[in-house]
Amino acid sequence: MSFAKLTIRDVPVHDKVVLVRADYNVPLMGGKISDDLRIRASVPTLQYLREQSCKVVVMSHLGRPDGDTKLEFSLAPVAERLSELLGVEVRFVDACYGDKVTQAVKAAKSGDVLLLENVRFHAEEEANDSTFAGKIAKSSLARYFVQDGFGVVHRAHASTEAITHFLPSVAGLLLEREVTTISHAMEDPERPLYAVMGGAKVSDKIKVIEAFVHVADKILIGGAMANTFLAYKGYDIGKSKAETDQQETLDAIYEAARAKVGEAGVDDFIMLPVDVAVAGEISPEASRRNAKVDAIGVDDIAADIGDLTIERFSHELAHAKTVVWNGTMGLAELPEFAHGSARVAMTLATTPGMTSIVGGGDTADFALKWDGNGGRSFTHVSTGGGASLDLMAGNKLPGVEALLEAKK
Ligand code: ADP
Ligand code: 3PG
Ligand code: MG
């Protein structure tokens, strides 16, 4: 499938000032960047523009500062990391519009990169305010706007939507790669296509499972998502984390599944754990004990899929040609409860000829750490959480819709 939007390769950016939206919403611990996937992923577009002798002005959000200048959400540490990755000094400007920005752009040379301060220090950003977007466009002196922040294109904000009304707007290379890879996996996949869903953001993601019923050949469910399904099916899940207000969506999921595969095939199509690894408390010292799903104690907390389920899931997954994985199988940040997620990662990484797409903040983080090789064991590790899920669910992405159409 060809990409529907113009990209930086299609327009004469040579020697121009270009305003780039990146998603540098990276996890920070004690002021330090704990995972730089999103910064590394932005490098190809920035390099391309530098090679085209552009002056590159980059903007992003970080965290949710709610329209206030909260310096713990400053993008200054990102400028430092980006300088290291590009091998040139990235000048940080502590404003996202106004005279400071204009002067910095004027002082820059061809091939220089500037990073502006967090656009969410202004409430107008999330309000998709047109005047604010106009000020950014004008003070940057840019001739083009480049959207490369795949992780944020599911938001219609000033720096993703309103800005496109001021400048000719095209896609960057990361955006193109993310949208093409994920759309291809969902629209024209090599089958069988299996979806592995887990994690804890049940209400955010459960709607996507409904979409997957139509698209996938099998759905494997772990994590707190599985607890929610087990509770719906009437199992006692003790003190496990689950969301019990999802009755309607679960009814719709099972109704669609019955229509697709028939009553007898439903539990093979939507595969739930047959056992879970439980603990009495969640702590780094806690150890795992396997419990069949009909024998979870009243005080038990299901914190991973159980050993039988791990075998069953990895056996099943080895038959897939395409696997889409979003949501860890358990509390994978604790090694004792990372067994399920590690086996999923291993199966995806080692099955010959398999296309594997890993998405979601915690899931991508886990997969990258497990891999230790920049994620190269997988076909694609997405920089998007909500954006990748919306794309897979077939929802429109406002930040992509707003870009110029490619010529047919
Ligand atoms: P992602 O960030 O990949 O989109 P989520 O945020 O939905 O995924 O889920 C990841 C989180 O889910 C992790 O913090 C993990 O600890 C938690 N989690 C997974 N399984 C369970 C479980 N059985 N009980 C409680 N939390 C869980
Ligand atoms: C993300 O991390 O999913 C994106 O950067 C969007 O952030 P948001 O959920 O705060 O809009
Ligand atoms: Mg998460």
Side-chain angles (χ1 to χ4, degrees), residues 124 127-135 158 162 165-166:
E124 294 94 326
N128 195 15
D129 184 277
S130 182
T131 310
F132 175 66
K135 285 184 201 162
H165 301 288
F166 293 91

Side-chain angles (χ1 to χ4, degrees), residues 137-208:
K138 190 162 176 231
S139 37
S140 73
L141 307 175
R143 294 280 293 279
Y144 287 100
F145 170 67
V146 173
Q147 177 55 270
D148 210 30
F150 173 67
V152 73
V153 288
H154 59 314
R155 310 277 182 223
H157 290 171
S159 68
T160 62
E161 204 282 325
I163 191 82
T164 65
H165 301 288
F166 293 91
L167 293 167
S169 300
V170 301
L173 305 177
L174 172 66
L175 183 72
E176 180 188 27
R177 185 162 66 88
E178 289 271 17
V179 172
T180 312
T181 312
I182 296 173
S183 309
H184 174 75
M186 299 312 293
E187 279 164 28
D188 184 20
E190 252 204 281
R191 291 189 181 269
L193 162 71
Y194 287 9
V196 183
M197 300 288 297
K201 291 183 186 166
V202 174
S203 40
D204 274 10
K205 294 180 178 176
I206 200 161
K207 283 256 173 245
V208 183

Side-chain angles (χ1 to χ4, degrees), residues 14 21 74 91 95 102 110 142 172 279 290 307 366 370 398-399:
H14 190 78
R21 173 59 155 109
S74 170
R91 174 153 175 215
T102 306
S110 290
N290 290 306
D307 291 357
F366 176 81
W370 177 88

Side-chain angles (χ1 to χ4, degrees), residues 49-60:
L49 295 171
R50 293 189 61 229
E51 283 158 19
Q52 293 289 319
S53 307
C54 299
K55 288 186 188 178
V56 189
V57 184
V58 191
M59 64 175 164
S60 177

Side-chain angles (χ1 to χ4, degrees), residues 102-319:
T102 306
Q103 292 314 322
V105 176
K106 281 189 176 158
K109 297 186 297 296
S110 290
D112 281 356
V113 180
L114 309 178
L115 178 63
L116 309 183
E117 184 56 291
N118 194 341
V119 287
R120 287 196 189 169
F121 284 178
H122 305 267
E124 294 94 326
E125 162 63 5
E126 292 186 64
N128 195 15
D129 184 277
S130 182
T131 310
F132 175 66
K135 285 184 201 162
I136 299 175
K138 190 162 176 231
S139 37
S140 73
L141 307 175
R143 294 280 293 279
Y144 287 100
F145 170 67
V146 173
Q147 177 55 270
D148 210 30
F150 173 67
V152 73
V153 288
H154 59 314
R155 310 277 182 223
H157 290 171
S159 68
T160 62
E161 204 282 325
I163 191 82
T164 65
H165 301 288
F166 293 91
L167 293 167
S169 300
V170 301
L173 305 177
L174 172 66
L175 183 72
E176 180 188 27
R177 185 162 66 88
E178 289 271 17
V179 172
T180 312
T181 312
I182 296 173
S183 309
H184 174 75
M186 299 312 293
E187 279 164 28
D188 184 20
E190 252 204 281
R191 291 189 181 269
L193 162 71
Y194 287 9
V196 183
M197 300 288 297
K201 291 183 186 166
V202 174
S203 40
D204 274 10
K205 294 180 178 176
I206 200 161
K207 283 256 173 245
V208 183
I209 297 185
E210 215 179 318
F212 275 125
V213 169
H214 302 288
V215 182
D217 299 302
K218 204 181 274 286
I219 303 171
L220 281 64
I221 301 183
M225 183 68 85
N227 299 341
T228 304
F229 274 69
L230 291 169
Y232 170 79
K233 291 201 149 232
Y235 292 103
D236 193 339
I237 57 164
K239 296 216 163 76
S240 309
K241 185 180 173 86
E243 289 183 28
T244 48
D245 56 353
Q246 298 298 321
Q247 185 85 17
E248 252 176 64
T249 309
L250 281 154
D251 284 345
I253 289 170
Y254 276 99
E255 200 180 302
R258 275 192 293 273
K260 178 166 175 166
V261 298
E263 181 74 51
V266 166
D267 290 334
D268 191 50
F269 174 64
I270 298 179
M271 210 168 253
L272 300 181
V274 289
D275 64 343
V276 287
V278 299
E281 52 154 21
I282 299 302
S283 76
E285 290 76 40
S287 57
R288 59 191 283 141
R289 178 173 59 78
N290 290 306
K292 296 268 177 59
V293 291
D294 58 2
I296 301 173
V298 283
D299 289 325
D300 284 344
I301 304 169
D304 193 7
I305 53 176
D307 291 357
L308 287 173
T309 304
I310 292 176
E311 290 308 321
R312 189 161 179 246
F313 278 17
S314 45
H315 176 80
E316 288 292 334
L317 279 174
H319 296 297

